[in-house]
């Protein structure tokens, strides 16, 4: 039994990653697209004018480069681990100038910290429609 919903969620994700890592791929991996918030953001917020930032220490201290990458973690995040488990390159942020050509065939990460489906969680991301 989980203590709260976030520990249940993390247990579910960890179980998924372990399962994916233990199953050998039978076919070549397909494109992997990521949607979500700061838990899976791998750098989109580096390209946005927002206060939600992960571009300075302690973020990235356990990442292979030991530098902040825009991931809201000290190392790899869940999409990185899933990419490793399926034998694929990590997805690039959809706002990255490097995401074109063959790199797009790997997939893309559309996650952004601070985003949400409720008005109070996504208030900083307002869409302006030009008529």
């Amino acid at each position: 039994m989980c203590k709260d919903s976030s520990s249940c969620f993390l247990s579910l994700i960890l179980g998924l990653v372990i399962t994916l890592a233990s199953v050998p791929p039978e076919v070549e991996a397909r494109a992997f697209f990521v949607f979500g918030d700061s838990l899976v953001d791998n750098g989109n917020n580096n390209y946005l004018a927002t206060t939600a930032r992960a571009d300075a220490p302690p973020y990235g201290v356990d990442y292979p480069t030991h530098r902040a990458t825009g991931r809201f973690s000290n190392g790899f995040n869940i999409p990185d681990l899933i990419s490793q488990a399926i034998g694929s390159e990590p997805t690039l942020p959809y706002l990255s100038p490097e995401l074109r050509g063959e790199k797009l065939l790997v997939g893309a990460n559309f996650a952004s910290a601070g985003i949400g489906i409720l008005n109070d969680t996504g208030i900083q991301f307002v869409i302006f429609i030009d008529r």
Side-chain angles (χ1 to χ4, degrees):
M1 231 30 219
C2 299
K3 294 180 184 177
D4 56 40
S5 61
S6 51
S7 65
C8 285
F9 176 73
L10 290 175
S11 296
L12 176 68
I13 295 298
L14 184 58
L16 176 64
V17 169
I18 291 169
T19 301
L20 285 172
S22 64
V23 176
E26 294 181 17
V27 295
E28 191 172 319
R30 294 187 173 102
F32 176 38
F33 294 93
V34 179
F35 300 91
D37 59 11
S38 60
L39 294 174
V40 293
D41 184 351
N42 70 342
N44 280 305
N45 281 28
N46 288 348
Y47 303 97
L48 295 172
T50 177
T51 57
R53 311 294 299 171
D55 56 358
Y59 298 115
V61 297
D62 293 326
Y63 195 74
T65 62
H66 303 291
R67 295 177 34 210
T69 61
R71 290 162 175 82
F72 286 80
S73 68
N74 60 325
F76 292 121
N77 62 17
I78 298 296
D80 294 321
L81 299 174
I82 292 172
S83 292
Q84 290 173 4
I86 64 174
S88 180
E89 295 177 40
T91 57
L92 290 173
Y94 83 99
L95 293 171
S96 171
E98 297 175 37
L99 185 65
R100 49 191 150 83
E102 293 291 317
K103 295 273 187 180
L104 187 55
L105 297 177
V106 171
N109 187 312
F110 293 89
S112 183
I115 199 73
I117 59 171
L118 303 175
N119 287 338
D120 59 339
T121 59
I123 197 86
Q124 64 183 320
F125 296 98
V126 178
I127 299 172
F128 294 97
I129 300 173
D130 187 22
R131 292 184 186 206

